[in-house]
Amino acid sequence: MTATREIVTDQRDQFAFHDDIAYLKETKRGLTRATVEEISAFKEEPDWMLQYRLRAYDHFLKRAMPTWTDGLDKIDFDNIVYYRKPSEREEKSWDDVPDQIKATFEKLGIPEAERKFLAGVGAQYDSEVVYHSVKEELTNIGVVFMGTDQALKEYPDIFRKYFGTIVPPEDNKFAALNAAVWSGGSFVYVPKGVEVPLPLQAYFRINGENTGQFERTLIVVDEDAKVHYIEGCTAPIYATESLHVAVVEVVALPRSKVRYTTIQNWSNDVYNLVTKRAHAHANSTVEWIDANTGSRKTVKFPAIYLRGEGATADIISVAVAGKGQHQDTGAKAIHLAPNTRSRIVSKSVSKDGGRATYRGQLKVAPGATNVVASVRCDALMLDDISRSDTYPYIDIQEDDTTMSHEATVGKVSADQVFYLMSRGLTENEATNLIVQGFLEVFTKELPMEYAIEFNRLVKMEMEGSLG
Amino acid sequence: MTVEGGRPRLARRALDDLSLPIDATAVEAAGAGDPAWLVADRRAAFAAWEVLPGESNQLYTPYIDLRAAQLAETAFVVGSSATPGAMALDADEDALIQTSDDGSVRIALSEAALAAGVTVIPLRAAADSLRARLDGGGALPADDKFAQLTRALWSHGAVVDVPAGVRLERPIVVRWMVGTAGQALVTRTLIHLGAGADAAIVEELTPSAGATGAGATGATGRPASQAFFAGTSEVVLDAGATLRMASLQELPDTVVAIQHRRAEIGDDASIHWAMAQLGGRLVRSRVDNRLVGDRSSVEQVEIVFGSDTQVFDLTSYTTHIGRDTTGDLLSKGALLEASRASFKGLITIDKTAVGTDSFLGEFGMNLSKQARSVAIPSLEIDQPDCRRAMHSSSVGPVDETQLFYLESRGIPEDEARKFIVLGFLEPVVARVPLAAAQDHLRELLEAKWAAGTDGVAGEAAA
C-alpha cells in the first residue's frame, strides 16, 4: 500500500521513551532471601509482612515453572532488579513530583485526564507510587485510594484482613514471586453504601531496563458500595527482557458492584504474568474489562469466584497479538454458590506471526444450583503466518446448570473490505475499521477518552502489519 | 487398599496410573512366536511406555484420573497359533470376526464378500505382510502412553481389507468379547478401504462367556475383580473411499477399556463414526482423524450414557491438512447417578488446510447432582482462510419446555423425561448401519435408563 493516510501512521514513538532517572534505592540484580529482607527492611514493614514475604519466597523456589504455556523458561530471574525507588516519598500534589518524572507523565496525558473528570490519580513509576492525589470529594465520603505500601501502614487492620486471602502465595509460581517482592500498586476501600461517582484510575509504567515491576493491588468494596477502577499501562521499548508480575485482589462484599478495567500496552519485550482474581459475595456484581495489546508474552486470566448466592460475573477479554507476541489470555468463572450467573466474552486478533490464545475455565461446583453461564470466544486472524488457539475448560458438577459456549475463528471478510474500499477507504483503513468493529464489545464499555486511546493503540498495532 | 480407623481407604496413587502389572517379561510373552522385527517393535513400545506420562498433552493433564482402575492382579491373554474357528453368519452381515478373552477366534465371510476379494483375518498371522503399517508404531500415537502399551502387548487383532471399487451391501462385524475377571485382552484392528470402496463396519464390545459384573445396563453390586481391554481401529481410506464405522460398547461394569482410533483419510474419502459408550468401569478413548486428502471429510457422533460411578475419558483430535476438508464432530453425554464424563476435543487447522469447514460440538446433560461433566473443546488454527472453524458446547438439565409440551399431550412425566433423554442420544442410534445393532442399542439405552432412574425415583420419594 502506498496511500497510507495519517489515520494509520505509527504513533508508537510517543510511548517508546526512556528517561534517565537517579534511583534513590535499588536492590542488586537477582533474587535471594537477602533481597526479600532488604526490601521489607527498607519499607520498614511490620514483621508479619516480612514473614509473609519469606514464606512466599520459599514457595517460589520450590514451585516448578508452569509448562502448559511456552517461553517462560527464557526469563532470567537472576538478571532482574526486583526493587527500585525513584523518589523520596509519596507526593501529595502534581507540583511536588520531580520534573523528569512529570515530563514522562505529561507524555502519557495524565494531567489532562485528571483535569477533565477523573476522580483520583495513582501513577506508578517503576516500583513506587510517586504521585497520588485523591480529590477531597472522595476523602469526604470515606473512600480510601492510595498506594498499597502506604495502606499497609495507615490501614493495617483492613489491609491484613484481606491481603493475600484472594490470591495466596501458594496459588502459583508467579503469585509467590509477587508476594515475596511486591512493591507499589493501588489500595482501594469503599465503605458501606458508598457509590464512587467517577472512575478511579492509576497509570502504570515500567522504566529502567530489566526492572521488574511487582505491584500488588487490593480492592475492597464493602456492602452496597460501588466503584469503577481503571488501570492503563504503557512502557518504554527496550531490547532485553523485562518482567511484570502483578497480583490483583478484589473483594466484592454483599450487594456491591465492582468494575475493573485494564488496558495493557507493555512494550514488546515485557513478560507480563498477572494473577487477577475477585471474590464475589452474595448479590454482588464483579466485572473485569481487560484488554491486552502489548508485551512479548502475557499470561493473564482474570478470575471471579462466585462465592455468595445471587452473585454475577461479567468478563470481557480482548487481545491483539502482533509480531513476536503471544497473548495467552482468557477468563475464569468459578461458581460456588446457588443462583449465580456469569458471562465471558473474548475477542482476539492475531497478525504478523503473532499468537492469540484464549484459555478459560468455567466451573460449577457441587451445591451451586441453578447456575446460568455463557462463554463466547471469537478470534480474527489477519494473515496465515499467525496463530489462534482456543482452550476452554468447562466442568459442571450440578444437574440444573444452564451453560452455553461458542467459539469461532475467521479472517477479515474480503467482501467487507471491498465494500469499504468502494466507499473510498484504503485497504488499511478498511481493515482497521473492521478490526475496531470486531473489538467494539470491549471499547463500548470504556469511558470515552479510554475508548479513543484504545482505538489509537489498535491502529498502532495494525500499522505494523499493513501498508 | 489399607484400612485406617475401620474405614477402607484407597491406596494413594498417581492420577495417571492404570495399575497394570507390566514388565519386560510380559512383553516377551506377548511377542512369543513373532518375527524378529515385531519383537523389536514391542520392546521399543515398552521403552516408550516406561517414560511417557499418562497424559502427554499439557492441555488435558488437569483432567486425567485413572484411579478407578484396580488391575494389579491382571494377567494378559496370550495369542495362540490355532486356526480360527468358523461360525454362522447372520443374513444381514457380509463378514464377522469374533475374538473372546478365552483366546478363541471365529470368522465368517459371505459369498459376496469372498467373491469381491474382501479380507477379514486375524492380525497376528498376517503381521509380516502388514509390516509397513505396524513397524515403528504405525498409526498409534508415539506420545501416547496407553497406545504404546497396546503396541507392546497386543495378542489378538483383526484385519479388514476392502479392495478398490468394492461396494459391500451389508456390514462387517468386528466383535470383542471380554470381561473375565483378572483377564487383560490387548488387540489391534487394521482397516483399509481401496480407492472408491464403500463399506460399513460395526464394532461390538460385549461381555464374554466368563464375564463377571453387570452389563452395560449396570446397577448390580460392586465387582470383586476387574478385567482389562485395549483395542484400536487403525483406518486407512484411499481416494474416494467411504467408511461408515459404528461402535457399540456394552462391556460389563468391571472392565477398564482403553481405545485408540485413527483414520488417515485420502482425497475425496469420507469416514462416518457413530460411537456409543455405555458400559465399562473406566473407559479412556482417543480418536485421531487426519484429513490428509483434498476434499476429505469426517463426520463423528459419539454418545455416552453413564450411570453408577462409571468414568468416561474421551479425547478427539481432528487435524485438517488437505484443501477444502470438512470436519463435523458431535459428542453428547447423559449422566446418571455419580457417573463422570470428560469430552476433550482439539481441532487443528494446518497452514496447508485452505478452505476448511470444521465444527466440534460437545453437549452434556447431568441427570443427577452427583454427576460431573467436563468439556474442553479446543481449537488451534494456523490457516484463517476457512469456510468455518468453530466449536460449541452446552450443558443443561432436561428442558422444562419440552417436558411441559409432552406432558400436555398426555405423556406422564417419567415417560416424557425418558423420551427427551433418549432423544438426546438418538443421533448415534440412527447412524448405526445395522438394523439389528440399532434395535439392540435402543434396548440397552432403555434398560439403562430404567436401571439408572430407580435411584432417582427413590431419591425423590425420600
Side-chain angles (χ1 to χ4, degrees):
Chain A
M1 298 297 298
T2 48
T4 307
R5 296 189 191 171
E6 211 205 332
I7 191 170
V8 284
T9 324
D10 194 342
Q11 297 169 34
R12 198 182 294 260
D13 283 354
Q14 289 187 13
F15 298 86
F17 47 81
H18 169 215
D19 303 307
D20 292 317
I21 303 285
Y23 292 97
L24 290 178
K25 166 77 187 169
E26 67 176 52
T27 55
K28 278 192 287 227
R29 276 177 201 284
L31 182 58
T32 63
R33 209 173 169 82
T35 317
V36 175
E37 285 166 347
E38 195 186 346
I39 293 170
S40 188
F42 184 78
K43 291 170 176 288
E44 297 171 350
E45 288 176 345
D47 186 60
W48 75 265
M49 182 53 78
L50 172 63
Q51 297 313 320
Y52 183 89
R53 286 178 183 275
L54 291 172
R55 174 183 127 203
Y57 171 73
D58 289 340
H59 187 77
F60 171 72
L61 293 184
K62 263 196 307 208
R63 192 72 176 253
M65 188 65 103
T67 50
W68 44 261
T69 190
D70 50 15
L72 298 183
D73 51 338
K74 293 195 185 75
I75 302 170
D76 183 0
F77 290 105
D78 295 332
N79 198 29
I80 303 274
V81 176
Y82 287 86
Y83 179 69
R84 271 187 176 139
K85 184 179 172 62
S87 69
E88 192 62 64
R89 62 181 191 282
E90 294 250 345
E91 304 293 341
K92 286 295 177 202
S93 82
W94 183 245
D95 292 337
D96 297 334
V97 175
D99 285 346
Q100 203 167 15
I101 289 175
K102 202 169 358 183
T104 301
F105 288 134
E106 295 282 359
K107 290 182 193 170
L108 292 175
I110 290 179
E112 291 95 311
E114 189 196 17
R115 275 200 296 272
K116 276 179 195 160
F117 69 86
L118 294 164
V121 172
Q124 171 144 349
Y125 202 92
D126 283 2
S127 306
E128 200 71 32
V129 172
V130 293
Y131 169 80
H132 209 126
S133 84
V134 177
K135 283 195 170 166
E136 261 185 23
E137 188 186 348
L138 287 181
T139 317
N140 289 345
I141 53 176
V143 174
V144 181
F145 180 33
M146 57 175 54
T148 311
D149 294 277
Q150 192 187 351
L152 171 60
K153 292 191 172 72
E154 294 185 20
Y155 294 87
D157 295 339
I158 193 159
F159 187 97
R160 197 168 176 180
K161 183 174 175 188
Y162 292 107
F163 182 86
T165 59
I166 312 297
V167 181
E170 291 80 9
D171 190 79
N172 63 71
K173 189 173 178 75
F174 294 98
L177 177 61
N178 174 280
V181 301
W182 74 269
S183 194
S186 294
F187 175 86
V188 176
Y189 173 74
V190 185
K192 280 182 189 173
V194 171
E195 292 196 7
V196 182
L198 299 164
L200 301 178
Q201 86 166 6
Y203 260 84
F204 292 96
R205 281 201 55 232
I206 291 179
N207 198 351
E209 204 174 346
N210 281 344
T211 300
Q213 180 146 340
F214 305 93
E215 92 269 8
R216 181 93 192 190
T217 289
L218 175 58
I219 296 178
V220 180
V221 185
D222 218 323
E223 296 175 17
D224 301 292
K226 186 178 169 185
V227 70
H228 183 186
Y229 179 82
I230 301 182
E231 64 175 357
C233 308
T234 60
I237 293 169
Y238 285 121
T240 57
E241 271 78 0
S242 222
L243 181 61
H244 174 245
V245 176
V247 168
V248 176
E249 298 178 286
V250 172
V251 185
L253 292 169
R255 299 175 304 283
S256 65
K257 187 166 181 190
V258 190
R259 169 177 281 207
Y260 193 114
T261 301
T262 302
I263 295 177
Q264 179 270 112
N265 184 33
W266 296 119
S267 68
N268 289 358
D269 53 8
V270 173
Y271 284 89
N272 181 42
L273 314 167
V274 178
T275 309
K276 281 188 162 171
R277 190 174 304 160
H279 280 188
H281 293 271
N283 298 308
S284 66
T285 299
V286 177
E287 300 168 338
W288 293 112
I289 314 289
D290 203 79
N292 297 284
T293 60
S295 83
R296 171 180 187 157
K297 172 146 191 144
T298 286
V299 180
K300 176 164 57 162
F301 318 107
I304 301 174
Y305 285 47
L306 296 127
R307 294 184 49 174
E309 191 158 354
T312 302
D314 204 346
I315 305 176
I316 298 175
S317 171
V318 161
V320 180
K323 188 176 180 183
Q325 288 184 298
H326 182 195
Q327 304 286 7
D328 196 340
T329 58
K332 296 181 184 183
I334 313 293
H335 293 262
L336 303 168
N339 302 312
T340 48
R341 279 156 198 277
S342 69
R343 180 182 73 131
I344 294 171
V345 177
S346 160
K347 300 264 179 180
S348 74
V349 177
S350 54
K351 59 182 191 56
D352 300 327
R355 180 178 174 195
T357 298
Y358 170 83
R359 212 183 284 271
Q361 190 182 15
L362 177 69
K363 184 167 179 161
V364 176
T369 52
N370 197 26
V371 165
V372 178
S374 75
V375 183
R376 166 100 217 167
C377 310
D378 293 316
L380 199 57
M381 294 171 71
L382 299 186
D383 53 55
D384 60 7
I385 56 169
S386 301
R387 175 172 168 178
S388 175
D389 312 309
T390 312
Y391 306 127
Y393 292 75
I394 301 154
D395 185 351
I396 312 290
Q397 302 183 46
E398 262 299 340
D399 64 347
D400 58 358
T401 300
T402 302
M403 184 289 295
S404 69
H405 170 100
E406 257 189 63
T408 62
V409 180
K411 57 174 183 171
V412 171
S413 142
D415 289 351
Q416 288 172 0
V417 173
F418 180 77
Y419 173 78
L420 290 170
M421 288 175 73
S422 78
R423 295 288 166 144
L425 270 64
T426 65
E427 189 178 348
N428 262 3
E429 290 162 358
T431 309
N432 217 329
L433 202 59
I434 291 163
V435 171
Q436 282 180 25
F438 175 76
L439 299 176
E440 202 203 345
V441 64
F442 169 76
T443 24
K444 77 179 184 201
E445 297 297 332
L446 298 176
M448 188 189 65
E449 81 280 12
Y450 270 87
I452 291 166
E453 181 179 338
F454 181 73
N455 279 337
R456 205 172 68 221
L457 287 178
V458 170
K459 269 179 216 151
M460 275 162 51
E461 292 293 330
M462 298 290 297
E463 170 60 18
S465 65
L466 302 163
Chain B
M1 203 178 282
T2 59
V3 176
E4 231 171 58
R7 294 179 64 187
R9 192 170 63 86
L10 289 179
R12 281 177 71 90
R13 215 169 93 190
L15 293 169
D16 65 347
D17 181 3
L18 205 53
S19 76
L20 264 175
I22 300 173
D23 55 21
T25 322
V27 177
E28 296 308 316
D34 277 344
W37 66 265
L38 188 49
V39 173
D41 193 62
R42 290 176 184 276
R43 288 176 187 154
F46 177 61
W49 150 273
E50 289 201 297
V51 296
L52 283 168
E55 176 61 74
S56 56
N57 187 338
Q58 285 277 341
L59 281 178
Y60 303 138
T61 43
Y63 288 96
I64 182 169
D65 186 353
L66 307 178
R67 289 175 302 171
Q70 300 291 336
L71 298 167
E73 305 300 318
T74 313
F76 290 90
V77 177
V78 178
S80 77
S81 52
T83 319
M87 77 184 285
L89 198 62
D90 284 343
D92 55 1
E93 299 165 358
D94 256 332
L96 167 75
I97 178 164
Q98 171 183 305
T99 308
S100 175
D101 62 4
D102 61 10
S104 70
V105 179
R106 291 175 189 281
I107 292 181
L109 222 61
S110 71
E111 294 292 330
L114 270 175
V118 173
T119 308
V120 178
I121 50 168
L123 174 60
R124 201 70 184 272
D128 256 331
S129 66
L130 289 162
R131 181 169 176 177
R133 289 182 66 186
L134 293 171
D135 205 358
L140 296 175
D143 63 349
D144 190 305
K145 186 181 184 78
F146 304 111
Q148 296 307 310
L149 169 131
T150 304
R151 181 182 161 207
L153 290 166
W154 67 275
S155 62
H156 290 74
V159 179
V160 175
D161 194 296
V162 181
V166 170
R167 305 178 75 85
L168 279 182
E169 299 272 317
R170 292 163 294 192
I172 297 165
V173 175
V174 178
R175 184 177 297 144
W176 305 99
M177 304 177 75
V178 287
T180 305
Q183 293 279 55
L185 180 65
V186 182
T187 73
R188 290 179 77 168
T189 301
L190 270 58
I191 297 163
H192 170 243
L193 266 62
D198 186 320
I201 296 176
V202 178
E203 177 192 62
E204 298 176 0
L205 300 159
T206 63
S208 63
T212 48
T217 51
T220 60
R222 277 285 108 227
S225 182
Q226 292 184 344
F228 178 72
F229 173 76
T232 71
S233 298
E234 302 167 48
V235 179
V236 175
L237 300 184
D238 290 351
T242 301
L243 176 64
R244 278 155 290 136
M245 178 92 200
S247 173
L248 273 55
Q249 187 273 104
E250 47 161 319
L251 294 169
D253 63 2
T254 51
V255 175
V256 173
I258 300 280
Q259 300 169 334
H260 285 91
R261 299 183 169 96
R262 181 169 125 140
E264 194 89 7
I265 309 161
D267 288 352
D268 298 297
S270 61
I271 188 163
H272 306 264
W273 297 99
M275 296 175 279
Q277 300 276 13
L278 277 80
R281 173 71 188 84
L282 164 70
V283 177
R284 184 172 160 90
S285 141
R286 168 173 173 167
V287 185
D288 284 88
N289 288 300
R290 294 177 49 80
L291 294 149
V292 180
D294 292 348
R295 298 166 305 279
S296 58
S297 73
V298 56
E299 178 199 41
Q300 181 179 309
V301 187
E302 184 169 30
I303 56 164
V304 167
F305 194 14
S307 64
D308 201 2
T309 53
Q310 286 183 296
V311 179
F312 296 92
D313 177 351
L314 314 176
T315 307
S316 119
Y317 292 96
T318 306
T319 311
H320 295 265
I321 301 158
R323 294 178 73 92
D324 301 315
T325 59
T326 304
D328 187 356
L329 289 87
L330 179 63
S331 296
K332 290 183 146 193
L335 303 174
L336 290 160
E337 299 168 320
S339 58
R340 280 189 284 159
S342 316
F343 296 100
K344 306 162 184 177
L346 177 61
I347 294 175
T348 305
I349 301 181
D350 283 0
K351 202 154 292 177
T352 49
V354 174
T356 295
D357 181 344
S358 198
F359 173 78
L360 169 65
E362 295 177 347
F363 303 100
M365 210 185 245
N366 288 3
L367 298 167
S368 126
K369 298 189 87 60
Q370 285 77 46
R372 179 177 184 185
S373 67
V374 172
I376 313 174
S378 322
L379 299 166
E380 287 185 351
I381 299 180
D382 281 324
Q383 174 53 263
D385 193 358
C386 47
R387 284 174 287 158
R388 179 172 66 151
M390 75 175 289
H391 66 232
S392 139
S393 174
S394 76
V395 173
V398 171
D399 188 332
E400 291 298 326
T401 325
Q402 290 175 9
L403 206 55
F404 180 76
Y405 175 79
L406 289 174
E407 285 183 71
S408 76
R409 297 282 162 150
I411 297 165
E413 188 187 333
D414 285 355
E415 195 74 357
R417 210 170 273 280
K418 182 177 98 176
F419 282 166
I420 293 167
V421 173
L422 299 188
F424 176 72
L425 302 173
E426 178 65 19
V428 160
V429 184
R431 281 174 174 82
V432 174
L434 182 61
Q438 249 186 35
D439 293 345
H440 180 57
L441 179 54
R442 282 204 185 89
E443 281 164 23
L444 285 172
L445 291 170
E446 292 223 13
K448 186 148 186 165
W449 171 261
T453 48
D454 280 352
V456 174
E459 226 171 66

